[in-house]
Amino acid sequence: MNRIKYASVFKIEGKTSIEKRVNIRPFFNAKTPLKVILKNNTNLKHDILIQGSGTLVLGENSYIGSYSVIGVNSRIEIGKDVMIANAVSIRDTDHNFKDLNVSMLKQGIQTEPVYIKDNVWLGHGVVITKGVTIHSGAIVAANAVVTKDVPENAIVGGVPAKIIKYRNE
């Protein structure tokens, strides 16, 4: 049903697979519409939530695992051959909170794009925060919280994520 209701949100460029219960929640009061661009041979597993008013690009041969949440109010670009495990959260937005006299709900948001380059593996339960770039060949260990850029071919883990080693070591 959502596939029909939100068909205008999707731009599909080749063969794709969208499993059951992929929930699309555009923010209708936003200045820009939510857009989801799926390149060739992509897969959205079941029970994913994609919400916001920005643009999500999922590159060729990439997939997003079940129970993941993508919050996009600016831009999230996911490259080619990217594996995103189950229960991953990727967000390009934070709420403002500095004014103690105004409810955080009313203080607005800050956005910065998230870039996940080619050939990246995000383990189960990973959290990616706004403004982060994960460079090609990187691996992010299960349940890591990524708050800073991850170098090419680095293996990171922890809260916040830190470099454990490089894949060629």
Side-chain angles (χ1 to χ4, degrees):
M1 184 176 193
N2 276 346
R3 293 180 214 190
I4 296 168
K5 183 176 180 182
Y6 294 112
S8 64
V9 168
F10 287 96
K11 179 179 180 190
I12 297 174
E13 299 176 358
K15 179 183 155 190
T16 63
S17 173
I18 301 172
E19 295 184 10
K20 293 179 181 180
R21 297 179 307 274
V22 171
N23 292 299
I24 304 300
R25 293 201 183 133
F27 293 167
F28 293 109
N29 59 347
K31 294 176 186 172
T32 60
L34 178 63
K35 295 178 195 165
V36 178
I37 300 168
L38 302 175
K39 304 288 184 169
N40 189 44
N41 200 33
T42 56
N43 187 333
L44 298 177
K45 302 288 186 178
H46 64 84
D47 296 295
I48 294 172
L49 171 61
I50 301 170
Q51 64 183 8
S53 61
T55 300
L56 168 65
V57 179
L58 183 61
E60 289 183 26
N61 304 314
S62 296
Y63 68 86
I64 299 173
S66 300
Y67 310 107
S68 293
V69 177
I70 310 297
V72 56
N73 289 300
S74 173
R75 186 170 190 87
I76 296 174
E77 285 188 24
I78 300 166
K80 292 188 240 181
D81 303 312
V82 174
M83 300 179 292
I84 299 177
N86 293 350
V88 169
S89 176
I90 305 171
R91 313 248 179 182
D92 69 0
T93 305
D94 274 339
H95 288 273
N96 295 325
F97 55 84
K98 289 187 178 183
D99 189 340
L100 299 178
N101 297 311
V102 176
S103 164
M104 288 182 277
L105 182 64
K106 296 178 183 175
Q107 290 188 48
I109 60 173
Q110 294 178 0
T111 63
E112 290 180 52
V114 171
Y115 299 100
I116 300 170
K117 303 295 185 172
D118 299 340
N119 190 33
V120 168
W121 176 16
L122 303 180
H124 180 92
V126 165
V127 174
I128 309 293
T129 61
K130 73 174 173 49
V132 166
T133 297
I134 300 176
H135 290 276
S136 295
I139 298 172
V140 181
N143 296 309
V145 177
V146 182
T147 60
K148 295 181 181 170
D149 292 355
V150 175
E152 188 171 319
N153 295 316
I155 300 172
V156 301
V159 179
K162 293 183 169 68
I163 297 171
I164 298 168
K165 66 179 193 173
Y166 287 85
R167 288 177 57 201
N168 57 355
E169 291 180 348

